[in-house]
């Protein structure tokens, strides 16, 4: 019987000719990732277990991105612990303030993840790298500690939901709208313990950045991973970044899927998730008019250059509405520099936005945009849970960069296409 | 075995409400325990007593991968979590730190707030002592049962390495 893409990658890394959904396997890891919140817990666990050696100093990445530049003394101590561990063990890929960025934008940019890889990260959005045709999943700190020690981890091979994409996205509709629509359709546990495998002729029209956004939020449907086929767009992205051989895996024609979901990209409208679940989706025409006090454009979901170009197109020559704060956070140093070179930085500043150094910051209510009771944000981030961006009585509406920018200008949820037409 | 009073929660209890991110900068179990469940029930951490049990609905522990979530629950003195289903990273994290969790939709639906419940971890039997109802949780695969038996992933790996020597 044929295998899915995920089954093929897991089989190859477990040294088995084939695996099937439900099998418990131990697989070799190509990369183990942690950040400034999860790495310190992993270090404590690693050292408490009496472990002294890491498996490979080039296959561990530590990215200090969540509370950085450090927001307080306690977070500074966590970063210090991570730096000391990286130094002691000679870890090559430690990314600190000034060269770091948000982990899931940074690692693909640096070429640390290649198609066909098997990656774990102590961060739930590690599923982002599925966009490159890798198996990549979020784990906790103990898994990170074990991964750092032996370079392997245990997995239950997931059943796969085949998500067939047809058609082509309309203007001002992007990857974010695709994934919010899908989560609205199947629910926050619609893919629990399962994998989302994206396929169909619609994939070719999606940019790499759209694919990263879609794979990034697979976890918000409960999925273990989200994965895209490798095509010309993928190869063009990794070429010049990944400097080692890699393997491209394709699903067999007779692979077995748990079920299939079909999405016609051309039918999608800008979509938002109202508080307090990513599955609480509405189209912008149903949701427009809801007042906001803050707009956040950035994060591992939507802080890439094409996201910022979309936002800048809408903000160009316009100004943020009175009573609204708009915080723009390029996800990496390279993207930040690109913003400056392309004139986007000037557009954001002239529109009245705060432009920040890369950080996860406000997405998790960490810093750089924490809200008080009674405030509501439109945000290009990935979670709108109770208290996610600050006070337990604040609210987050998830949206694309285009919707967030249009809403920042309007002072309420707004349709970017209508704003640009001057409706 | 565990026996205790039940604190009941709904569906989709996410790790942000189990332990809000504003407390992740001080990850000692004692500190995390003080804020356990704070954004869904601000009184929980002060009310919960050692050995008591959390019963949740579907998709318990969804969201962030923060292992701080099961650590906070464990350090608050909770003896186990019973839920209709668990989000997969929370499920792994609980097993990896040796904290008992039981998946049982029937028990999650029937058990009420304040009931006294006893759990037999080796058989997976859940008894609602208040109503007399009995439930059978989904059995762990043998591989996972061995990790739990050793008290978590790292003790398990260590024992395996020593056995191979």
């Amino acid at each position: 019987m044929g295998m899915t893409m995920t089954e093929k990658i897991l089989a190859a890394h477990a040294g088995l000719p084939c695996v099937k959904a439900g099998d418990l396997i131990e697989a070799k890891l190509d990369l183990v990732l942690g950040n400034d919140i999860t790495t310190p817990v992993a270090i404590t666990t690693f050292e408490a277990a009496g472990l002294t050696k890491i498996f490979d100093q080039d296959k561990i990445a530590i990215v200090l991105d969540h509370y950085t530049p450090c927001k307080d003394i306690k977070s500074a101590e966590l970063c210090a612990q991570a730096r000391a561990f990286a130094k002691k063990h000679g870890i090559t890929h430690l990314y600190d303030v000034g060269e770091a960025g948000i982990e899931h934008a940074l690692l693909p940019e640096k070429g640390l993840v290649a198609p066909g890889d098997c990656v774990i990260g102590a961060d739930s959005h590690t599923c982002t790298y599925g966009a490159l045709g890798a198996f990549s999943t979020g784990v906790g700190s103990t898994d990170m500690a074990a991964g750092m020690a032996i370079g392997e981890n245990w997995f239950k091979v997931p059943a796969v939901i085949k998500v067939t994409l047809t058609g082509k996205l309309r203007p001002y509709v992007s990857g974010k709208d695709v994934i919010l629509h899908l989560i609205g359709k199947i629910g926050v546990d619609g893919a629990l313990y399962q994998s989302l495998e994206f396929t169909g002729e619609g994939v070719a029209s999606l940019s790499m950045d759209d694919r990263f956004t879609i794979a990034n939020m697979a976890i918000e449907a409960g999925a273990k991973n989200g994965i895209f086929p490798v095509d010309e767009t993928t190869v063009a992205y990794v070429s010049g970044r990944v400097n080692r051989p890699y393997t491209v895996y394709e699903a067999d024609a007779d692979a077995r899927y748990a079920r299939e979901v079909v999405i016609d990209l051309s039918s999608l409208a800008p979509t938002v998730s109202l508080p307090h679940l990513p599955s609480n989706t509405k189209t912008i025409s149903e949701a427009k008019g809801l007042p906001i006090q803050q707009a956040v454009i950035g994060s591992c979901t939507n802080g890439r250059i094409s996201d910022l170009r979309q936002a800048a197109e809408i903000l160009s020559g316009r100004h943020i509405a009175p009573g609204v704060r708009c915080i723009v956070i390029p996800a990496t140093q390279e993207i930040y520099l690109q913003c400056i070179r392309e004139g986007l930085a000037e557009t954001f500043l002239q529109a009245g936005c705060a432009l920040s150094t890369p950080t996860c910051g406000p997405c998790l209510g960490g810093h750089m945009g924490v809200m008080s009771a009674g405030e509501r944000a439109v945000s290009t981030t990935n979670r709108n849970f109770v208290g996610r961006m600050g006070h337990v009585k604040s609210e987050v509406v998830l949206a694309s960069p285009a919707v967030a920018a249009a809403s920042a200008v309007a002072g309420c949820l707004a349709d970017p296409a209508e704003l640009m037409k001057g409706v | 075995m565990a026996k205790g009073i039940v604190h009941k929660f709904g569906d989709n209890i996410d790790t942000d409400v189990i332990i809000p991110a504003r407390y992740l900068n001080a990850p000692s179990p004692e500190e995390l325990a003080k804020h356990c469940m704070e954004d869904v029930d601000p009184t929980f951490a002060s009310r919960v007593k050692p050995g008591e049990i959390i019963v949740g609905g579907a998709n318990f522990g969804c969201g962030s991968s923060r292992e701080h979530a099961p650590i906070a629950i464990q350090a608050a003195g909770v003896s186990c979590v019973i839920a209709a289903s668990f989000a997969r990273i929370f499920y792994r994290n609980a097993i990896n730190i040796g904290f008992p969790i039981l998946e049982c939709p029937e028990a999650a639906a029937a058990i009420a707030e304040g009931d006294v419940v006893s759990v037999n971890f080796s058989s997976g039997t859940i008894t609602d002592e208040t109503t007399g109802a009995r439930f059978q949780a989904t059995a762990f695969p043998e591989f996972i049962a061995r990790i739990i038996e050793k008290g978590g992933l790292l003790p398990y790996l260590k024992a395996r390495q020593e056995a191979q020597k």
Side-chain angles (χ1 to χ4, degrees), chain A residues 219-242:
Chain A
I219 176 70
E220 307 322 326
K224 181 173 208 144
N225 68 318
I227 194 163
F228 276 84
V230 176
D231 65 6
E232 288 169 10
T233 305
T234 328
V235 172
Y237 180 87
V238 298
S239 125
R241 298 180 193 272
V242 175

Side-chain angles (χ1 to χ4, degrees), chain A residues 24 26 37 41 45 49 67 71-72 74-75 78 122-124 137-143 145-146 150 153-155 188-189 192-193 219 224 277 364 383 385-386 388 392, chain B residues 12 14 16-17 21-22 24-27 39 58-59 63-68 71 85-89 91-93 96-97 103 141 143-144 147 153-154 157-158 160-161:
Chain A
L24 276 161
E26 287 175 271
I37 290 180
V41 177
T45 305
Y67 291 151
K71 73 182 183 98
D72 56 18
K74 287 174 180 170
S75 58
L78 296 182
D123 187 279
S124 59
T137 191
V139 296
S141 295
T142 298
D143 276 321
I150 61 171
N153 214 320
W154 65 274
F155 300 101
V188 287
D189 58 355
L192 193 58
Y193 306 131
I219 176 70
K224 181 173 208 144
L277 280 177
L364 73 160
R383 292 193 173 122
F385 299 151
V386 169
R388 174 77 178 176
V392 68
Chain B
N12 302 314
D14 61 77
D16 275 275
V17 296
R22 59 187 176 273
L24 301 183
N25 57 358
D39 280 1
N59 203 25
S64 156
S65 69
R66 61 189 72 162
E67 200 161 294
H68 312 63
I71 293 173
S85 63
F86 290 93
R88 58 161 289 277
I89 304 178
Y91 180 93
R92 281 185 83 95
N93 287 347
N96 285 345
I97 64 167
E103 195 166 86
F143 173 76
I144 293 175
I147 295 176
L153 182 62
L154 293 186
L157 291 176
K158 213 158 185 201
R160 198 178 65 172
Q161 276 174 350

Side-chain angles (χ1 to χ4, degrees), chain B residues 54-115:
Chain B
I54 285 178
V55 175
N59 203 25
F60 188 92
C62 61
S64 156
S65 69
R66 61 189 72 162
E67 200 161 294
H68 312 63
I71 293 173
I73 294 174
Q74 187 180 43
V78 173
S79 60
C80 67
V81 177
I82 301 165
S85 63
F86 290 93
R88 58 161 289 277
I89 304 178
F90 183 93
Y91 180 93
R92 281 185 83 95
N93 287 347
I95 289 163
N96 285 345
I97 64 167
F99 178 66
I101 53 171
L102 295 102
E103 195 166 86
C104 185
E106 300 79 17
I111 295 170
E113 170 80 24
D115 284 3

Side-chain angles (χ1 to χ4, degrees), chain A residues 149-193:
Chain A
I150 61 171
E152 289 180 18
N153 214 320
W154 65 274
F155 300 101
K156 187 173 170 185
V157 179
V160 177
I161 299 176
K162 183 180 189 179
V163 183
T164 302
L165 305 177
T166 64
K168 207 174 167 186
L169 294 173
R170 291 184 293 162
Y172 305 111
V173 181
S174 62
K176 185 61 164 286
D177 302 298
V178 178
I179 190 64
L180 293 183
H181 174 81
L182 176 62
I183 296 164
K185 196 167 171 151
I186 68 174
V188 287
D189 58 355
L192 193 58
Y193 306 131

Side-chain angles (χ1 to χ4, degrees), chain A residues 2 27 52 110 116 124 157 162 165-166 170 200 210 268 287 300 326 376 382 411 413 416:
Chain A
T52 52
K110 296 281 183 196
S124 59
V157 179
K162 183 180 189 179
L165 305 177
T166 64
R170 291 184 293 162
D210 280 328
L268 297 183
C300 62
C326 184
R376 184 182 299 118
N382 41 56
L413 294 185

Side-chain angles (χ1 to χ4, degrees), chain B residues 18 31 54 60 70 88 117 122:
Chain B
I18 295 173
E31 279 300 311
I54 285 178
F60 188 92
R88 58 161 289 277
V117 163
S122 50

Side-chain angles (χ1 to χ4, degrees), chain A residues 224-296:
Chain A
K224 181 173 208 144
N225 68 318
I227 194 163
F228 276 84
V230 176
D231 65 6
E232 288 169 10
T233 305
T234 328
V235 172
Y237 180 87
V238 298
S239 125
R241 298 180 193 272
V242 175
N243 59 6
R244 58 187 161 96
Y246 58 85
T247 311
V248 173
Y249 295 90
E250 282 176 44
D252 290 322
D254 60 344
R256 184 180 288 186
Y257 296 94
R259 64 180 170 125
E260 184 178 6
V261 176
V262 179
I263 296 177
D264 176 5
L265 298 176
S266 54
S267 74
L268 297 183
T271 301
V272 300
S273 297
L274 297 180
H276 287 287
L277 280 177
S279 57
N280 193 14
T281 51
K282 301 272 183 236
T283 61
I284 192 64
S285 57
E286 295 169 312
K288 67 182 179 183
L290 188 70
I292 53 148
Q293 291 75 43
Q294 179 161 298
V296 174

